[in-house]
Amino acid sequence: MIEITAPETPACRGGRVPSRTGPALVAAVLLVLHTAFALRNHARFRTTGYDLGIFGQAVREWAAGRLPASAPPGFEGEALPLLGDHFHPVVALLGPVYRLVPRVEVLLVAQTVLVSAAVYVTGRTAQRHLPELWGAGPVVAAVCGLAWGTQSLIGFDFHEVAFALPLLALACRAYLDGRLRAAAGWAAGLLLVKEDLGATAAVFGLLVVHKARDGRDRRAGWLLAGGASLAAVLVLKVVVPGLAPDGRYLYAGQVGGGYGFLDGWPVKALTVLALLAVTGGLVVRSPLAWLLLPTLGWRFASSVPAHWEPGLHYSAVLVPVACAALVDAVRRGARLPVMRGRGVLWVPLGAVLVLLPFQPTAVVAAPGFWKSDPREAAAREAVRQVPDGVRVAASNSLAPHLTDRTMVRLAAPGLLERRPAVDWLVIDRTDGFPAGAAEGALREAIGSPAWKVVREKAGIVLLARVR
């Protein structure tokens, strides 16, 4: 990364900062569009047990004052303590909201709110530090909200990394403002979001140390860097294994497995190129670019090829950092060879708009997205017939529609005879994940006199245990 001494901007000299209206308007429009997409996508039974159903159960448990597990009470003997899977205590913040509105849709709306908060903060950062560029705030806000990483998150159920977006946006803004202790404070919040973000927080601490001009800021940076490193080790080596049923961190084996850092670079290069496109390549002209390396590092070192791809919700944490790095690079005087002045920001915006039709949320422009089809109607009726409070096994696309009022397990072969027993089975024959699980459970039930078919329509099958 090339470091250039930042010139003092008019905003830094006490000049007039542009109105909040532009970034606020962009954030509000995206909030409406993203919320409409998320709720309609859920109503179409396109959300899944992995991950919306799991987090729905987690928030239901937090709302009841219990540690989160992958199934509500009644499955304690088999439920997986979720903090022994991934460390995301920040999700507890949604517990009180869920207690007031006990619907899984709360998670979808919360995610769009968190994204829009990051969009607004990022837009305001651009306004403050690029006041000489008219429209900088709305343009950078739009880049943040429409970038491929953000769109992948909105298109993927719900995930805890949504909490990282406003934290990173606020930390980067405080860093660029020179409020280094505040920046360290916001970055420290990443430790509660997900275990891998401890490395990002530690790198942020080193950036604070590098920029610090007095002892208090420097101490804050070292405290963040050292504390985040220590916390990450404790979480990975003590906390998560201590809560996990088998006493180990499940995902440790994903590094150094069948694939490694040197494999899959045609796919990994696409991820890097897509990241560069968000900033017109200027991301490398800011020290903030170092914050991208921990997330890219664990993904590229993973033995799971899906982690290498650009279209993954984990990419969302890269977007506010990349946008802040873009602002930092432009304020330092970096320019694209073919663009001068205000035009430097239109290249990233053009890039995200070109990629937008290929994003999951692009389906909002399709008329069929807003129309109910036979599968949706059949699924809605089958779910409605499942009584409250029962134990039910459901296929992946139906599970999140039942977590609010029943005890849900994902349908799989062998589950129907395990204890505590499930009394209902609802299956979408088109569910392909996990592979063969839904069809396997359905074959077992249909071949057993202990189960009867209540209804079957449009590939949706509802069965009840014979008493």
Side-chain angles (χ1 to χ4, degrees):
M1 290 77 176
I2 300 174
E3 184 173 350
I4 308 170
T5 302
E8 188 180 31
T9 65
C12 296
R13 292 196 302 263
R16 179 178 175 271
V17 177
S19 168
R20 295 178 172 86
T21 303
L25 183 60
V26 172
V29 169
L30 290 177
L31 174 62
V32 172
L33 291 177
H34 289 162
T35 302
F37 164 82
L39 295 180
R40 177 59 189 147
N41 201 49
H42 179 66
R44 295 175 70 228
F45 291 84
R46 301 297 180 183
T47 54
T48 61
Y50 286 93
D51 283 343
L52 182 59
I54 292 174
F55 279 108
Q57 292 176 329
V59 173
R60 178 176 170 177
E61 294 288 86
W62 281 121
R66 295 183 288 264
L67 290 178
S70 60
F75 285 89
E76 288 91 349
E78 300 178 10
L80 172 68
L82 290 178
L83 294 181
D85 180 56
H86 285 301
F87 189 71
H88 41 58
V90 71
V91 177
L93 294 176
L94 296 180
V97 183
Y98 186 89
R99 193 175 182 89
L100 293 175
V101 186
R103 298 286 299 273
V104 74
E105 289 88 346
V106 162
L107 280 73
L108 299 174
V109 175
Q111 181 164 265
T112 63
V113 170
L114 291 167
V115 168
S116 289
V119 168
Y120 172 74
V121 172
T122 301
R124 287 290 291 163
T125 301
Q127 281 188 326
R128 176 170 181 81
H129 292 282
L130 303 175
E132 73 282 3
L133 298 185
W134 182 88
V139 169
V140 174
V143 169
C144 181
L146 298 176
W148 50 275
T150 310
Q151 295 295 296
S152 295
L153 176 63
I154 294 295
F156 178 79
D157 290 10
F158 170 88
H159 202 274
E160 72 261 46
V161 297
F163 284 95
L165 271 66
L167 287 173
L168 284 166
L170 288 164
C172 289
R173 176 176 177 175
Y175 177 85
L176 296 182
D177 289 348
R179 297 178 290 112
L180 299 183
R181 277 167 286 165
W186 288 117
L190 297 173
L191 298 171
L192 302 178
V193 177
K194 194 167 176 283
E195 63 275 5
D196 61 276
L197 289 171
T200 302
V203 172
F204 202 106
L206 295 178
L207 292 179
V208 169
V209 171
H210 180 261
K211 189 175 182 178
R213 295 294 180 265
D214 63 55
R216 289 184 298 175
D217 288 345
R218 192 171 292 107
R219 283 193 296 272
W222 282 120
L223 181 61
L224 176 60
S229 300
L230 177 61
V233 171
L234 289 176
V235 166
L236 292 173
K237 297 295 186 179
V238 179
V239 178
V240 173
L243 293 171
D246 58 359
R248 65 188 182 93
Y249 178 52
L250 176 64
Y251 305 98
Q254 290 183 352
V255 178
Y259 296 102
F261 187 80
L262 298 179
D263 299 302
W265 272 101
V267 177
K268 295 173 181 177
L270 289 177
T271 301
V272 175
L273 289 174
L275 182 59
L276 292 174
V278 172
T279 63
L282 297 181
V283 63
V284 297
R285 305 295 297 275
S286 167
L288 290 173
W290 290 104
L291 296 176
L292 305 173
L293 297 185
T295 296
L296 291 176
W298 78 256
R299 287 176 59 182
F300 289 175
S302 172
S303 61
V304 180
H307 289 159
W308 309 339
E309 302 172 1
L312 193 69
H313 51 281
Y314 295 122
S315 296
V317 301
L318 304 174
V319 174
V321 174
C323 290
L326 169 64
V327 171
D328 188 31
V330 174
R331 75 167 185 158
R332 290 167 178 266
R335 295 292 186 269
L336 296 172
V338 295
M339 303 294 288
R340 297 296 177 188
R342 181 176 60 189
V344 72
L345 298 179
W346 294 100
V347 172
L349 180 61
V352 298
L353 292 177
V354 167
L355 294 174
L356 195 58
F358 306 100
Q359 304 305 328
T361 56
V363 295
V364 298
F369 180 76
W370 303 99
K371 296 179 181 178
S372 179
D373 58 22
R375 171 188 171 274
E376 178 185 334
R380 185 173 295 109
E381 180 59 25
V383 168
R384 187 190 66 80
Q385 290 191 27
V386 176
D388 293 350
V390 300
R391 298 185 178 94
V392 56
S395 58
N396 197 31
S397 64
L398 303 177
H401 293 264
L402 291 160
T403 55
D404 294 331
R405 58 185 183 85
T406 65
M407 282 71 78
V408 186
R409 296 300 298 269
L410 196 68
L415 175 66
L416 302 183
E417 301 307 319
R418 286 158 64 183
R419 294 290 184 267
V422 296
D423 301 311
W424 292 79
L425 177 64
V426 56
I427 296 292
D428 180 354
R429 289 183 179 271
T430 65
D431 265 337
F433 182 84
E439 277 294 335
L442 184 58
R443 282 194 299 270
E444 288 183 1
I446 290 178
S448 170
W451 290 86
K452 66 177 180 179
V453 177
V454 176
R455 64 173 279 127
E456 180 174 3
K457 189 174 183 180
I460 308 297
V461 187
L462 175 66
L463 302 94
R465 187 180 292 273
V466 176
R467 295 296 184 186

